[in-house]
Amino acid sequence: MIFAGKPLMFAQIPSGGSPFHSEQSMEKMGRGDNDVVIMFDVDTVWKGQPVHRIKVRHERGECMPDFQIDVPVVVFAQIDPAGIYWTKLCSGNAATGEAGYDDLKTVLTSRLRFN
């Protein structure tokens, strides 16, 4: 999935648990302990199902993306067999103010259809 939006909140998932108790897909163990879930308010989807909000997980550690609340970002997320979206620092994500953010949005818009 490729989308643009703003992070609304972060939640760390303790081992064996979920901060989103009603979200069954988030109850499943991640790739490591203490994964982080980010809730995004989505404004543009270039690839994937159209959504207004989405939860994306990432592992804590060296490859952890540096998202900031209310700072618009372009996110490249992959879905795993359990239906959970994941992203990493090296996935190609870009935030407002970073070099290439506006160019990335322009390229995505010109090359990919909107859903």
Side-chain angles (χ1 to χ4, degrees), residues 29-67:
M29 286 300 295
R31 297 176 185 161
D33 289 341
N34 301 316
D35 292 340
V36 174
V37 176
I38 307 159
M39 170 82 77
F40 288 93
D41 183 27
V42 178
D43 59 31
T44 305
V45 175
W46 289 283
K47 185 174 181 185
Q49 295 297 316
V51 294
H52 296 288
R53 297 247 167 109
I54 189 169
K55 296 176 187 113
V56 178
R57 282 174 76 163
H58 67 76
E59 299 172 15
R60 296 184 60 82
E62 292 179 21
C63 287
M64 184 171 83
D66 184 25
F67 297 122

Side-chain angles (χ1 to χ4, degrees), residues 2 44-47 101-114:
I2 304 171
T44 305
V45 175
W46 289 283
K47 185 174 181 185
Y101 172 78
D102 291 324
D103 290 340
L104 178 59
K105 285 184 78 172
T106 300
V107 168
L108 288 170
T109 300
S110 68
R111 293 188 180 196
L112 297 176
R113 66 178 176 80
F114 284 98

